[in-house]
Amino acid sequence: MPSLDVRGKIAAAQIAFYVPIAFLTIFLVFRYAFRRDAGWFFLFIFSLARIAGGALTVAAELRPANIDLFVGAYTIQAAALALLMLSTLGFLGMAGQHSYSETFGLLGLVALGVLIPGGILGTHIQPGAANTALILRRVGAGIYVGLYIALVLVTFGAWTYRWHMRSYRRQVMWGVSTALPFLGVRVAYAVLAAWSSSDIFGNTPSPNPTLAHFNPVTGDWIPFLVMSAIMEYVVAVIYLFSSTWLARRRH
């Protein structure tokens, strides 16, 4: 009978860790009224994506004959980062940076729109589009870099107005500022992963052994755990702590 490898166990732990975040964020969304610029909603969707991705990974390892499960898990792994970055923009909106959150939010949506087909094309679903899929995945990684740079610039710019902010908004800004280095590590891993192999299964790794080392499927599991899974979870927890302060002050 198939059993879980290290990545499968990481996926199972991911489900356990994100279920509480999903429940808490959806409570916050309804308790304090859904707002278009609030990060709680996107953090909730991101949590659902990580739960779904973890479940698909576990199911795929227990039923390895079902290739569709692997395709779904690996596609979510790359694309869901866009939701965390949209959450970041949402929390910047909560801190008063509404125009920026709406403008750069389009980049996050474009990243989703690029990376989802980038994960599906080139598989058994449409094997003739492997090169297109590779281009889409690398374009998506480039969008992540551009969006991250925009987040850093907006955050630094917002701090120039810190004395005009209410204290609870500064608390949210501190949360975003604290999370940005961890988010940066995660974005860096996304870029390395995009160049680590020409296919999502890691069957054709990069001739550069250093890049191949960062493949989320066939590479070393330690960088995947530290630079991807842990970094994302740290960012999510920081956002929850900083934004619940805002919730307390608004009610």
Side-chain angles (χ1 to χ4, degrees), residues 4 22 24 30 32 36 42 65 68 103 106 115 122 132 143 154 160 166 169 173 180 210 215 221 228 235 240-241:
L4 298 180
L24 180 56
F30 287 106
Y32 296 107
R36 186 176 53 180
F42 285 113
D68 291 333
T103 301
L106 292 175
L115 287 165
T132 300
I143 294 173
V154 170
T160 63
R166 295 184 178 181
R169 293 188 185 275
M173 286 302 302
L180 279 177
T210 301
N215 186 268
W221 65 270
S228 179
V235 171
L240 273 181
F241 271 107

Side-chain angles (χ1 to χ4, degrees), residues 167-220:
S167 60
Y168 58 82
R169 293 188 185 275
R170 285 200 298 271
Q171 184 74 18
V172 175
M173 286 302 302
W174 275 116
V176 173
S177 302
T178 303
L180 279 177
F182 300 100
L183 184 60
V185 173
R186 177 61 183 91
V187 170
Y189 184 81
V191 173
L192 292 169
W195 266 264
S196 66
S197 175
S198 59
D199 68 294
I200 64 168
F201 301 106
N203 293 329
T204 311
S206 168
N208 184 326
T210 301
L211 283 176
H213 181 74
F214 290 97
N215 186 268
V217 181
T218 58
D220 192 338

Side-chain angles (χ1 to χ4, degrees), residues 1 8 20 119 192 205 238:
M1 180 178 179
L192 292 169
I238 289 173

